[in-house]
Amino acid sequence: MKPSILFHILLITSLVALAVPSYAGAVSSSTTYAPGVKVGDWWNYGNFKIVGPAINITGIILGVTAVSGSNVTLKAIFVSGGNIQAQTLSGNLNTGAGNLTQFPPLVAANLGPGDHLFNSASAPIFNDTITATYAGATRQINVVNITGTPLGAPSQVLYYDKATGIELQIFESASGFSISFMVTGTNLWHYPVSILDDAACSFNDSACRFNPTSATIIVGSKIEWDNTGTIVHTVTSCSPSINPPSSACPFLDSASLPSFDSGAVASGANFTFTFNTLGTYFYYDAIHPWMHGTVVVQPNATVAPGFTFDASPSALSLQAGDFGSVQLIVNAVNGFSNFVAVTTTVPTGPNFPTITAFNGTGNLGVGGSFSSFVYVKTNSFTANGVYVVRSLATGNGISKSLQIPITVEGGLPDFSISANPNTLILPSPINSTFFHPPIITIDSINNFTGTVRMQATVSPPGLAVGLTSASPFENSSLTLKLGANGQNATALDPFVTQQTPPGTYFVTVTATSGMITHSVNATIIVPGASGDFEITANPTSLLIRKVGVNDPFAVGFSAISLTSLNGFSGNIALGASTSGFLAATFRPSSMVNLTANSSANASLSLSAAASPPGTYFVTVTGTSGSISHSVTLTVQVVIQPDFQLILSIPIGGDAVFAGGATSVGIQLFSNGLSVFNGTVTLTGQVSPLVNNGPTLSFNPTQISFAPSATPFSQLTISTTTLTPSGNYTITVKATSGTLAHTFQLQLTVLPPPVLTLNPSSGPVGTQVRVHGSGFLSLSQGRFFSPVELQITFDDQLVGFFFLQGSSFNFTFNVPDAQAGIVHQVHAKELFPSSLDVQASFTVLPEPGAVIVGVSGGTIYFPGDTATIFAMTSLNGQPTTVTSLQVILVKPNGSNLTLNAVQVSAGVYRASYAVPTTGSIGTYAVVVKAHQAGSADVSALVSFEVKPTWLQSNGRNVITATSLVGAAGALGIVAFAWRKGYFTKRKDEFLIL
C-alpha cells in the first residue's frame, strides 16, 4: 500500500467522526484556546494495532515547525515499512480551521470536561479528565468519547494530554475495522525514575531501590532520577571506562555506550541524562552498590535508518601554547548497521597550529557508534586567528559534514629552555680527553624581558653538577637576564671525583621567572672503573588472561635480577621497550644501585588492560654508563571467554498476586572477543525464606550456544494463596566452571484481589453490583498504559473500563442464562497480566404470574347475605399470596373493604349482608392479590340486588285479595312462589 493511500485510510477515514463541515460560532468566551507546544517540540506514535484492511504502518512522528497565536503548523512523517511520506498539517486551535482538524493530533492546552475540542458548538466535547502514564510519565488526560452511528461512523475514545494538548492515544472501532495507537516518545517531558530508601539502606535492603528498576525508552528520550528518599545516592553507569567493582555491576555496558555519573544526589534533588545511543545500559548506586537499574534504549520506528555526526566540542578556543582535542562522534539512528567513513582536512601554513586528524572507518552494526579525534597543539609562536577544520562522514549513500572553528589567541610573554647536547658520556678516566658540556639556552618569546633563575638537580644522588657564569665559582643555581626576543645561556658541568659512583645520572635544569617555569633534562653517564653486570628475568614467558576488552586487572609480573660481575658497582637504569599497548612499571624504582659482587632485584609489572589478544615482546634494558645489557620477555595476551545474562522482566512482572505466577526471560550472551562455548547452569534463591514462600523453576536449567541446546531460559516464579504478602529478593546465580555471575530482582507479592456481588442470586434481568478491591492500577506506577478490565458473565462480555485505582464498582443486568445453576462473573485483566478474578452468581427460575379468580351470586334481595369466593393460583396450583383485598363498590359509588378469610390454600371467602332498605342496584366486587416477587393481579365480579315480588307487586296483590277473598289470594301466592317472585335466589333454584 502506498503511503498516500495509507495516510488517507488510516488518518482521515478512521477519524471521520471529527471531520465536521465547519467550526463556526464560538461557544466559550472564558475558555482560552491557546497552544501548549513550541517550535521544536516533537512526539511520535507507535504500538499500532489494526484489525481489518491490510495496513502496514510502523510509526508517525510529528514536529512543531511554527506557532503564531492559536495557529500551529506540524510536520508529520509517516513510516510504512521502508516507505516514508511527509505531510504538513496546519490549523487554528481556536476556530478549528485548517487541515489540522482532519487529523487532530493537537488541541489547545489546559482544557477540561465540558470544553469543546475547538471553540465551536459543532466540535466534540471532552467528557472526563483522568490520570494515566504515557511515554514514561504520569499525566493529566482529557478524554473524548464518540459513539458510532448505524450508518457506519466509527466509535472512538481519544486521549489528549491536558498540559500540552497533544493526542496521546486513540481507540476506534467500526464494522469490520478497528485501530489503536499511542504516543511512545516525546521531548515534552522526562521519563521519571524514583530513588527510594528507608533512611538506613543496610546491605541488600530491598526498601532501597530504583523504581522502576527497568526502564524502556525511545532513543533521544531523557530520564530524570528523582531522589524521593532521605539520604544521598548516586546514579552511575556500569561503563568499562569507570571501572566499577564487579559486585556492583554484574554486567558491564558495551564500550560503545556513553557513560554517566550523577555524583551525589541529595534528598529532593534529581539527575537527568539524555540517551542518544541504542543499547542496554546498566547502572548502580555507588554509595549503596546493591541498588541496580537498567535502561533499554530502543530505536524510534518513526525515523528512517541513518546516522548522526557531531563534534564535541563543536568549537575550540585555545591560548597560544595550549593543547586541545575535538571528538568526532558517529551514532547509528534506528538500526543503521553499515560502515561509515570519516575523513578530515586540516589547514596548514607558517606559524599555524599543529593539527592532527585521525581518519577512519567504523562499523555501526557493531556497537552502534564510533569516534575519531582531532588533536590541536599550539605554542607561543602560533599566529592568532580562526582555523577551520572540515570533516565529512559518508556511508550507505548518506553524507554529513562538519566545520569546526579553532580560535587561537596570543599568549603572554614567555621563554623557552633547551639543552645541547642532552646526553653526555664522560671519558674514562675523566681527564683522559676533552669533552663538551651540555649548553643550557633560554630564549625570549613574545618580547619577554626579565631575570630567570636556573636550578640543576641530579637523580640519583652521587654526581655533583654546576652551572657556569661570569663568576669564577660554579654553583648548581644562577640567575640569567633576558632581553626582548633575546637569548642567554649557561653550561652544565659535571664534577666527577674518585668517590663518584659510575652510572647514569639524570639532570633536570629548571628555569623560573615569577610564575613562569620551564625545565629541560640532560643525561650524564659516568663509566665504571671496571667490571660488568648481568641482567635476567624470571619468568621470561608470561600468559595474561583478560575477561574483556578493557580489563584493569589483566596484569603479569616478572622478577628482574641484576648481578655484579668482576667487582662492578654503580647505578643501573632500567627501561622497558613494549608493544601491543602493554604498560610497564618497575618497582620499587627503575634505578637500581648495585654494589660490588652482589645482586639486586626489581619487579616488572606489565598491564594488558588496553591490549588486544596476541603475542608481544618486551625488552628490558639495564644501562650504567657505557655498559648496557638487555633481556627479552614473551607475553601472550588472551581473552578468557566469559558470558553475561540479560533478564527481561515484563511490564508489571515485578508484582504478583498470591496464588499467581510471573515469568522472567533469561538470555545468554557471549562477553568479550572470544566466543563463550561453555554450558551455564542456572540456580535461584528466594529471600526471605518463609513457609509457602515463592518457588522458582528454570526451563531449561542449563543453557549454552551448542547446536543441540538453547541460549534462552524462562524463570517462572510461582506463589500459592498461602504465600505471605510482602517484598522478596530473587537471586539468580549462573555458573560455568570457575565463572559465576549473579543478578537480583525484586518481587512484591500482593494479597489476591477480591470480587463481591450484590445480590449473588436472582433471575435473568436482575441488576447486580460488582465491587472489586485489591487490584493494581496505572496510578500505582507499575504500568505504562491504562489497565483495562473486562467484566464477563461466564463468557458473555457485559462491559469494560480502565482502572483508576485499586478498587471499583460496576453494575450490570444478568443476561440470558440457564436457571438453577451457578454461573461465574469474571473481572479479567488482559494486559499487562492475564489476571482473572471470579465470583459466583446463581440464576434463579423466573417467577410465574399469580392468577386470581372470583365468584359469587348474581342476584340478591334485601336482607340476603352475599357470599364471595376468591381463588389465587401459581403455575396452575392454588397458592397462598402475601396479601389479598376484597373491595365492594356499592351502587352509589362508595367503597367497602370486606374481610377475606382464607378457607384453604389459595381459597378465600368474604361475605356482605345486604341491607333491607336502600340496597337496590348493581354491586361490583374487586379482588386484589399481591405476591412478593411477582406482579400484582386483580379480578372483578358483579351482582344485583332486586326487590322481592311482594315489594314490587304488593299493591296489586292487596287489591286482588279484596276482590276474590282469601282463597283466591292463597292461589295467587302459590303461583307467585312457583314463579319465583318471592325471595328465592336465582342461582339456587331452576327458573322455569
Side-chain angles (χ1 to χ4, degrees), residues 840-862:
S840 298
F841 185 89
T842 302
V843 177
L844 301 178
E846 289 281 354
V850 174
I851 300 174
V852 61
V854 60
S855 65
T858 57
I859 297 176
Y860 291 94
F861 299 102

Side-chain angles (χ1 to χ4, degrees), residues 34-55:
V37 296
K38 62 183 183 302
V39 174
D41 287 339
W42 61 268
W43 61 99
N44 55 261
Y45 298 103
N47 295 340
F48 285 84
K49 298 178 181 178
I50 303 172
V51 176
I55 299 176

Side-chain angles (χ1 to χ4, degrees), residues 913-932:
V914 180
T916 56
T917 60
S919 57
I920 304 302
T922 301
Y923 292 74
V925 178
V926 179
V927 177
K928 296 181 179 180
H930 171 73
Q931 175 68 16

Side-chain angles (χ1 to χ4, degrees), residues 414-570:
D414 199 356
F415 63 87
S416 64
I417 184 172
S418 61
N420 184 30
N422 57 12
T423 300
L424 173 64
I425 302 176
L426 295 177
S428 180
I430 188 66
N431 56 358
S432 62
T433 184
F434 173 78
F435 64 88
H436 193 292
I439 302 301
I440 309 300
T441 303
I442 55 175
D443 290 277
S444 170
I445 299 174
N446 293 336
N447 296 316
F448 173 88
T449 60
T451 59
V452 180
R453 179 172 177 78
M454 314 288 287
Q455 178 71 48
T457 58
V458 182
S459 177
L463 175 67
V465 296
L467 298 173
T468 61
S469 66
S471 169
F473 304 100
E474 293 186 0
N475 299 296
S476 61
S477 64
L478 83 162
T479 300
L480 299 179
K481 291 185 178 180
L482 268 181
N485 297 322
Q487 186 181 81
N488 208 335
T490 181
L492 175 64
D493 280 338
F495 301 131
V496 180
T497 66
Q498 294 297 326
Q499 287 73 38
T500 302
T504 301
Y505 296 89
F506 301 99
V507 181
T508 300
V509 180
T510 303
T512 303
S513 178
M515 300 296 293
I516 303 174
T517 298
H518 298 288
S519 63
V520 67
N521 295 320
T523 302
I524 299 177
I525 300 174
V526 179
S530 61
D532 202 348
F533 67 88
E534 180 184 47
I535 183 170
T536 60
N538 184 28
T540 56
S541 295
L542 296 177
L543 176 63
I544 301 178
R545 299 181 183 273
K546 304 178 63 175
V547 296
V549 176
N550 294 292
D551 183 2
F553 303 104
V555 180
F557 300 93
S558 181
I560 306 300
S561 298
L562 300 165
T563 304
S564 171
L565 302 176
N566 300 322
F568 173 88
S569 64

Side-chain angles (χ1 to χ4, degrees), residues 855-877:
S855 65
T858 57
I859 297 176
Y860 291 94
F861 299 102
D864 284 350
T865 297
T867 301
I868 297 97
F869 286 91
M871 184 176 74
T872 55
S873 61
L874 179 64
N875 298 326
Q877 297 296 321

